[in-house]
Amino acid sequence: QGLAILDAWYGTAIWGEKTMVDVKKPLAARLMNNRIRVDVKDLVMGLPDPAPGQSKALIVRFAFNGEIGTALFEEHQTVTLGE
């Protein structure tokens, strides 16, 4: 049980296309005590920009206490999951 990250993509296009970057591992690394709280800009710092000059978002598919969910965070927002 608890929180598990199933998929996480950052970019501008439909799930998993070429203008998206897989950020599952860096997001899952922020998991502490079944919670994640991190600014999107801090999470993707140092990663290649999948779409320079365009607005981007983070799409997360997760499981929390046995329920599957999806969340969308704009690049200026804070990811808050499991709270």
Side-chain angles (χ1 to χ4, degrees):
Q1 298 287 329
L3 178 64
I5 303 303
L6 305 177
D7 291 295
W9 293 92
Y10 175 71
T12 61
I14 298 170
W15 193 271
E17 289 193 1
K18 292 181 182 179
T19 57
M20 301 290 279
V21 174
D22 185 348
V23 294
K24 177 182 175 181
K25 285 183 182 179
L27 184 60
R30 302 290 184 121
L31 182 60
M32 292 183 65
N33 299 319
N34 286 313
R35 293 186 305 206
I36 293 177
R37 184 172 175 84
V38 61
D39 290 340
V40 173
K41 63 180 174 14
D42 292 339
L43 175 69
V44 300
M45 188 179 297
L47 297 176
D49 188 338
Q54 296 183 35
S55 294
K56 290 167 277 297
L58 173 68
I59 302 169
V60 182
R61 194 167 65 90
F62 61 93
F64 185 61
N65 293 333
E67 299 286 325
I68 303 294
T70 303
L72 176 98
F73 302 93
E74 299 295 330
E75 59 189 327
H76 63 275
Q77 290 184 306
T78 299
V79 176
T80 305
L81 293 170
E83 295 184 342

